[in-house]
Amino acid sequence: MLVRPYQASRLAATASGRAHLADNQEVMVKSLLGLLLASACFQAQPTNLSPCDKAVRFTAAWFADPEVDNAKSAAELTKIGAGAGRSGTQLGHVVVETKLAVMPQTSCQGVVVRLDYIKPVLRVASEIPPGSCAYAHVMRHEQTHVRIHRDIARQFRELDYPWASGASSAGILVYAKQELDRLMQAQVLFDNPEEYASNFSACGGEIERLVKPAASTKSGRTPG
């Protein structure tokens, strides 16, 4: 959840579940590792297997319930967000390491593209006391990002590789990465101005009162 000035005089709050934006380099490194492992496996795949019904199949692991971490302050969460190119005081976020790998199918001649989620964590700033209205409000928003991740995984499983023949492992991986980036835009769309504005009236201004000290400590001034 980001808190930042909105339309000059309003305090806006939203969540950020855009782990793929923060971890783009890491995803690419992990994807390359998956590609290298897959290439080694291709060399050992038996040649007497019949072709698969789908030469390229997509699958995704279940996005597990994230670990909840209340230990980091808003300033610490904001620093993490700044490293991902985001601005504003951050009250919560969902972070996860993603891994893409291209591997041979074992029962037929073809490949499977697998999306894995590793160690998802949902963080809420330590200034927000558990059990408070503000805590429940932030948690609801972050849990929506978790649900969006799960829907992205479902859509990833339904992908169809558009080229019937001549598919290289590198080309398949590039396609999978592009499609995952496209699907992840749902996280960005959820963080919209209407979502920001909904936080002003939440909890009788409790969120704003909690945010102002954190914002003042970080920037020397209070937003809004």
Side-chain angles (χ1 to χ4, degrees):
M1 175 171 282
L2 295 178
V3 180
R4 63 189 184 192
Y6 180 60
Q7 292 183 351
S9 63
R10 293 161 55 185
L11 185 67
T14 186
S16 79
R18 288 166 281 178
H20 80 299
L21 297 178
D23 298 336
N24 238 10
Q25 277 190 312
E26 188 167 28
V27 170
M28 293 180 68
V29 170
K30 292 290 184 180
S31 298
L32 179 59
L33 176 60
L35 174 58
L36 293 174
L37 291 174
S39 298
C41 292
F42 286 148
Q43 297 174 7
Q45 189 176 28
T47 58
N48 59 345
L49 295 176
S50 58
C52 301
D53 292 339
K54 294 182 71 171
V56 180
R57 184 169 61 88
F58 293 84
T59 186
W62 173 250
F63 192 98
D65 290 340
E67 172 192 351
V68 177
D69 178 10
N70 303 317
K72 294 187 182 300
S73 67
E76 290 175 292
L77 297 186
T78 299
K79 185 176 180 180
I80 294 171
R86 297 188 290 268
S87 61
T89 301
Q90 193 162 354
L91 300 182
H93 61 212
V94 174
V95 294
V96 64
E97 179 185 337
T98 59
K99 182 175 74 173
L100 283 172
V102 181
M103 302 170 290
Q105 297 196 47
T106 57
S107 59
C108 55
Q109 284 284 349
V111 299
V112 59
V113 184
R114 181 174 175 85
L115 169 63
D116 281 297
Y117 296 103
I118 302 169
K119 295 181 67 174
V121 178
L122 188 162
R123 295 192 177 105
V124 178
S126 58
E127 290 90 343
I128 302 178
S132 66
C133 176
Y135 188 90
H137 188 83
V138 174
M139 282 291 290
R140 279 195 299 271
H141 194 103
E142 302 305 335
Q143 288 290 355
T144 300
H145 277 290
V146 171
R147 290 193 293 272
I148 293 172
H149 272 300
R150 289 172 176 163
D151 191 57
I152 289 168
R154 177 190 62 78
Q155 293 180 73
F156 189 86
R157 296 182 196 106
E158 297 172 356
L159 290 175
D160 283 312
Y161 193 68
W163 295 281
S165 61
S168 68
S169 54
I172 293 168
L173 194 62
V174 168
Y175 174 80
K177 178 66 169 56
Q178 290 173 341
E179 288 299 290
L180 180 59
D181 285 346
R182 178 181 63 81
L183 293 173
M184 287 292 287
Q185 289 303 305
Q187 301 285 15
V188 180
L189 292 175
F190 178 57
D191 291 334
N192 56 58
E194 290 76 19
E195 186 63 27
Y196 295 163
S198 71
N199 295 285
F200 297 121
S201 58
C203 305
E206 181 181 357
I207 292 176
E208 184 173 1
R209 289 193 296 273
L210 290 166
V211 168
K212 280 186 175 181
S216 298
T217 299
K218 180 178 183 295
S219 63
R221 59 186 179 86
T222 300

